[in-house]
Amino acid sequence: MSGSGRGQPTDDLLAALLDGMDAALCAFDADGVVTHWNREAERILGWTAAEAVGRKGFAGWAARAADAQDVEDRLMAAQEVPGRQVNEFALLTKDGGRVLVRTQSAGVPGADGKPAGVYCAFSEVHAQIDLERSIALSEALMDDASWGVVLVDVDLRPAVVNAHAARAFGSARTGLLGRPLGDLLAQGAEELEGALQHVLAEGSPPAPVELWVAVRTPQGVRRRCWRCGFLRLGSPLAEEPVPLGVGLLFQDITEARQVALDTAQLRFRAGQLHRSGRAAAECEDPAEAAGVRLDFALAGFADHALLDVLEPSSDPARPRLVRSAASPPALAGQAALPVPYEPGHPVLQALDRIGSVRASVPRGEAAEGWARARQWPEDAAHVLCTVLRSRGRTLGALTFVRTASRPAFERADAAYAEEVGARVAADLDLATRA
């Protein structure tokens, strides 16, 4: 084609395309003579295009004599069968070394439809295996790995989600794609987006990060703890690193983390009970000891504590309670005054049940009015009332109050309150006998 006015640019374009490819490429005519040889083929075997083009097969230069005919026969056989043929050969480099290559060859038909030659793409086997491993790893991660994998684009929206992550979000894989994280998470979206932005700007963090999130699911909002790893994704084809997004890998460690938190909480509360007992033992007045116990009980547990003592002469059907003590001291001005609890009040329910009662401000109702109507501090949002019992008698009630910044009381909190109440009741019983 060198003599054609249009053929020379076409040949130049073909040569440029072949030389610019990452794969090693060569081609043979119908007689097995090398017609094309690109730079990647030169890089792998060391033979230049000038040295390769025009040779028949690989005999005498790129293959051992014992192997050359078999290599040529297997390559040229691609003319006779449809599709691509995959083979592995040991070829010779220019400096005498041996390289195991994997080839993909296919026949090239002529204008008349008859076989006109073969083209062959080849790469070093170890490089091909590395590529196949990378592809296999990607497919395994995106299929159903034992941890969640989410590929997030530069706009911080999921682009690829594996099956495990979809289950963690409580949605179908396709239903998560392209949606803002704020639509998927009721809580924790800002922290997660902040971590993703940091990875895009600064790179991957050196260690996993634990994040608490609240996931919106068809069954409701679920609070979960995820241990997250982040990988910044860059394009391997760009001259300079171009961020494509972030790979988020996470495991749900909610149960393990909750067990650890519960254990730490139990250890702390046991320590508070021990310290309060030591401090109460130094009080000459048992009533003062009861107040000391309330101060210790508040730490990490509640914002206020109210101690109401039952008047011995009151009617059991309509018990009359007197505010005996309060913590913190800001509420002490109410001490020694009768508390006008209305029928059905949680404190009265606790006395009636001889147990604990939990209550929280109803949704949509003003917390201040709700608390004031029940004789509680105006910032009360969650309340736990427990009965005080000693020697088989009811002595009063103990009320713990939390503000809206704290979570509602749970069963474990009631058990702790009852333990505190038992010790306070013993102090009150001792005070009445003194």
Side-chain angles (χ1 to χ4, degrees):
M1 295 181 68
S2 59
S4 171
R6 295 177 58 189
Q8 185 62 44
T10 302
D11 286 350
D12 292 343
L13 175 60
L14 177 60
L17 289 173
L18 292 176
D19 284 341
M21 299 189 72
D22 292 332
L25 292 169
C26 62
F28 304 86
D29 64 15
D31 297 322
V33 176
V34 178
T35 59
H36 295 83
W37 189 266
N38 74 347
R39 289 182 182 176
E40 184 63 13
E42 177 182 345
R43 185 193 69 78
I44 293 176
L45 296 179
W47 302 97
T48 65
E51 296 170 319
V53 173
R55 291 179 181 264
K56 187 177 186 305
F58 289 145
W61 62 292
R64 295 191 311 169
D67 301 332
Q69 189 60 49
D70 178 63
V71 171
E72 181 176 350
D73 290 345
R74 291 164 69 183
L75 287 175
M76 300 308 295
Q79 295 183 104
E80 310 300 331
V81 295
R84 296 181 180 180
Q85 303 298 306
V86 177
N87 293 285
E88 289 187 3
F89 304 117
L91 299 181
L92 296 178
T93 63
K94 187 176 181 179
D95 59 9
R98 298 185 72 192
V99 177
L100 184 63
V101 300
R102 180 173 294 177
T103 66
Q104 293 187 50
S105 53
V108 179
D112 57 359
K114 296 181 179 180
V118 171
Y119 82 85
C120 173
F122 64 92
S123 62
E124 297 175 80
V125 166
H126 72 82
Q128 181 71 21
I129 291 176
D130 287 345
L131 175 61
E132 291 178 2
R133 284 174 179 158
S134 297
I135 294 173
L137 174 62
S138 298
E139 290 182 347
L141 288 175
M142 291 301 109
D143 185 16
D144 194 11
S146 59
W147 53 85
V149 181
V150 180
L151 303 187
V152 182
D153 62 23
V154 292
D155 294 324
L156 307 185
R157 301 193 178 199
V160 182
V161 180
N162 76 343
H164 187 103
R167 289 194 297 270
F169 280 101
S171 177
R173 295 171 70 172
T174 55
L176 300 173
L177 304 184
R179 296 177 60 186
L181 294 176
D183 289 352
L184 307 174
L185 301 176
Q187 294 178 359
E190 293 182 358
E191 291 82 352
L192 182 55
E193 288 178 347
L196 294 171
Q197 289 173 344
H198 174 80
V199 173
L200 282 174
E202 304 293 336
S204 304
V209 178
E210 291 186 6
L211 295 175
W212 281 94
V213 298
V215 185
R216 290 190 175 98
T217 70
Q219 294 75 33
V221 176
R222 296 184 303 171
R223 191 165 183 264
R224 315 302 296 168
C225 183
W226 291 345
R227 178 176 288 144
C228 303
F230 301 91
L231 298 171
R232 182 165 62 177
L233 306 179
S235 173
L237 304 179
E239 294 183 3
E240 296 182 0
V242 177
L244 297 178
V246 177
L248 166 63
L249 292 82
F250 67 91
Q251 285 184 313
D252 191 320
I253 60 169
T254 306
E255 293 184 5
R257 179 54 55 206
Q258 193 61 54
V259 168
L261 291 175
D262 291 345
T263 301
Q265 184 183 78
L266 287 173
R267 187 182 299 115
F268 174 77
R269 290 179 176 177
Q272 287 298 98
L273 289 172
H274 174 72
R275 284 187 285 271
S276 68
R278 294 284 298 271
E282 300 300 321
C283 298
E284 294 183 4
D285 183 0
E288 181 184 355
V292 168
R293 293 187 192 276
L294 296 186
D295 294 337
F296 275 92
L298 284 184
F301 182 68
D303 297 289
H304 308 291
L306 308 174
L307 178 58
D308 299 326
V309 176
L310 185 65
E311 286 189 344
S313 59
S314 62
D315 184 358
R318 300 188 61 183
R320 181 178 175 85
L321 293 163
V322 174
R323 179 64 44 82
S324 173
S327 185
L331 301 175
Q334 302 177 13
L337 294 178
V339 187
Y341 290 135
E342 296 292 334
H345 192 282
V347 168
L348 301 181
Q349 293 181 34
L351 294 178
D352 183 56
R353 298 178 185 178
I354 311 181
S356 297
V357 174
R358 291 173 284 159
S360 294
V361 58
R363 182 176 298 178
E365 185 173 340
E368 183 177 339
W370 176 80
R372 187 186 301 113
R374 290 160 179 79
Q375 310 300 317
W376 292 327
E378 293 184 353
D379 56 356
H382 312 289
V383 172
L384 171 59
C385 306
T386 187
V387 67
L388 302 178
R389 299 273 294 176
S390 178
R391 295 190 298 155
R393 297 178 300 120
T394 298
L395 303 182
L398 179 58
T399 301
F400 290 102
V401 178
R402 286 179 178 173
T403 61
S405 62
R406 292 178 180 264
F409 288 101
E410 299 179 352
R411 288 186 178 181
D413 299 322
Y416 178 61
E418 289 167 2
E419 184 64 30
V420 173
R423 298 172 186 236
V424 170
D427 291 334
L428 295 179
D429 192 13
L430 182 61
T432 59
R433 296 169 60 189

